[in-house]
Amino acid sequence: MAASSTDPTQQLNDYIKTMHDQGILDDNFDQLLALRREQNPRFINELISMFTNDAEAYIAEITNALSLTEVDFSTIISKLHQLKGSTSGIGGHRMYQACCELRVAADDGDKDRCDELFLRVKEEFNTLKQCLDSISQMRSNIISNGTRSRRRRPL
Amino acid sequence: MAPTLPSSDQASDQDNWDNGRLARKRQLLIEIVLRNKLTALVVDGDTTCRVLEQLLLRSYGVQTQGVDNGRDAVALIASGVKFDLIIIDMILPVLNGLEATRQIRDMGVHCKMLGVTICSGESERQVFLAAGVDVFIEKPLDPEHLVPILRELDGQ
């Protein structure tokens, strides 16, 4: 059956391509998709959920460290390292770039610059999260439709 | 919560990824067959990174364990558990990757150690190599760097 513009899989492919074109996702996300074939169908959705939950925790810790009277740059750098690693692994290109810039400001101990760049990190995270949530939802619909199709097949 | 372990479920027939880059990466994922059962320890403080690295290794049939800090890695090795490969992040909670690597080497462990980290420079690379890792790779771990190492460990 030829894929059409209403085909959910084609729509998902097109969406991911758009996210690539906008720089929100990079090739590392493609690598996840390649791994997906070896795992259970819900692997991508579970990984996305894990990433977003952990990223929100790192962002909360960085927020706290930046809010202290004496900014805790050591904690910022430590949590940023983990956030950068997971962001790179999930393929969040623009967010990763924003984290790298924040890391420079944290290394320099520049609070004002950190505040400014952290804002961008949070904005890029929100964009990435929306993108990944959309992918998750589309994947869930594809998996559900596939399950219903198999159940309708004659024995 | 880690993603569910691999099952025998197959992707839907509708799930057709028509992407040239994806096809090449998938090909790379399945291009080797290991003759021996290899084991690997993944040491990374970030859950997503650790899970991804373990999943990549498992896709090649490597048995893996994961720990999230340097102290637990050293304790695990000290307990006598042996691995063919240790993948360790430079920056870790509790005990950092550099010191953990030194302590593991000081125990007389000679297995292949792969140092990984994010956004590093030449100085970090040299320090990690001096601490005792055999190879240094920028995150994320990918098949292009991992496959040659697995082949070497497998004696191919």
Side-chain angles (χ1 to χ4, degrees):
Chain A
M1 184 167 65
S4 69
S5 61
T6 59
D7 173 39
T9 302
Q10 188 60 45
Q11 286 177 341
L12 178 53
N13 284 339
D14 292 343
Y15 182 78
I16 292 173
K17 184 182 183 308
T18 302
M19 294 301 105
H20 272 283
D21 292 343
Q22 292 180 14
I24 295 170
L25 295 177
D26 62 23
D27 286 352
N28 292 331
F29 186 76
D30 292 349
Q31 183 168 303
L32 289 188
L33 300 181
L35 267 180
R36 174 198 59 81
R37 282 291 187 179
E38 314 299 326
Q39 316 300 330
N40 78 78
R42 289 170 180 77
F43 153 71
I44 293 288
N45 290 12
E46 291 169 355
L47 197 69
I48 286 172
S49 179
M50 178 191 303
F51 165 74
T52 53
N53 288 341
D54 285 353
E56 283 168 350
Y58 294 143
I59 285 171
E61 290 182 84
I62 294 172
T63 300
N64 183 59
L66 265 176
S67 70
L68 298 174
T69 308
E70 197 159 323
V71 174
D72 184 356
F73 288 107
S74 172
T75 294
I76 292 171
I77 289 168
S78 167
K79 295 305 164 188
L80 202 50
H81 175 83
Q82 293 176 307
L83 182 60
K84 279 165 53 181
S86 58
T87 301
S88 176
I90 205 86
H93 182 73
R94 277 181 9 197
M95 182 177 164
Y96 173 76
Q97 298 291 340
C99 288
C100 284
E101 291 179 27
L102 176 58
R103 172 63 195 264
V104 173
D107 282 342
D108 292 341
D110 186 339
K111 183 191 186 310
D112 289 340
R113 188 96 177 113
C114 280
D115 284 334
E116 179 190 332
L117 292 170
F118 186 45
L119 201 60
R120 187 166 157 240
V121 167
K122 288 188 284 189
E123 287 169 354
E124 292 297 347
F125 171 65
N126 286 334
T127 300
L128 177 62
K129 184 174 183 302
Q130 284 174 24
C131 160
L132 294 175
D133 285 346
S134 297
I135 290 171
S136 246
Q137 186 58 54
M138 284 189 259
R139 285 283 301 145
S140 294
N141 292 342
I142 289 169
I143 292 167
S144 300
N145 289 337
T147 304
R148 280 198 292 272
S149 296
R150 283 194 295 275
R151 285 177 182 159
R152 283 199 294 269
R153 281 187 200 140
L155 295 174
Chain B
M1 181 186 73
T4 311
L5 289 174
S7 72
S8 58
D9 290 352
Q10 295 298 313
S12 160
D13 289 337
Q14 289 182 301
D15 209 358
N16 178 27
W17 304 99
D18 184 22
N19 181 319
R21 287 172 299 178
L22 177 59
R24 284 193 293 277
K25 284 186 184 290
R26 189 184 307 145
Q27 186 179 16
L28 188 58
L29 271 181
I30 61 173
E31 75 175 60
I32 68 165
V33 176
L34 298 178
R35 293 190 290 248
N36 301 291
K37 202 68 175 173
L38 299 179
T39 58
L41 173 65
V42 175
V43 190
D44 199 304
D46 176 72
T47 308
T48 303
C49 287
R50 193 170 64 252
V51 166
L52 281 172
E53 287 166 1
Q54 286 186 266
L55 286 168
L56 180 60
L57 287 161
R58 287 177 187 173
S59 73
Y60 290 110
V62 179
Q63 286 184 332
T64 72
Q65 279 190 48
V67 294
D68 66 2
N69 68 79
R71 180 191 61 193
D72 287 354
V74 171
L76 184 60
I77 300 296
S79 73
V81 181
K82 297 195 186 314
F83 298 97
D84 298 298
L85 174 66
I86 298 174
I87 296 175
I88 183 164
D89 191 2
M90 180 182 275
I91 298 179
L92 293 167
V94 186
L95 182 69
N96 70 59
L98 294 176
E99 185 55 31
T101 300
R102 290 188 197 105
Q103 290 187 22
I104 289 170
R105 288 306 194 201
D106 284 347
M107 281 190 261
V109 172
H110 300 296
C111 72
K112 195 83 164 180
M113 288 189 75
L114 178 56
V116 292
T117 197
I118 195 82
C119 214
S120 64
E122 180 61 24
S123 60
E124 284 91 349
R125 193 180 85 89
Q126 293 298 334
V127 164
F128 216 170
L129 289 169
V133 299
D134 299 294
V135 184
F136 178 93
I137 290 178
E138 290 261 356
K139 281 185 181 182
L141 184 64
D142 64 357
E144 286 162 272
H145 289 96
L146 182 61
V147 165
I149 292 171
L150 294 180
R151 281 199 169 121
E152 178 192 336
L153 291 173
D154 196 42
Q156 296 185 16

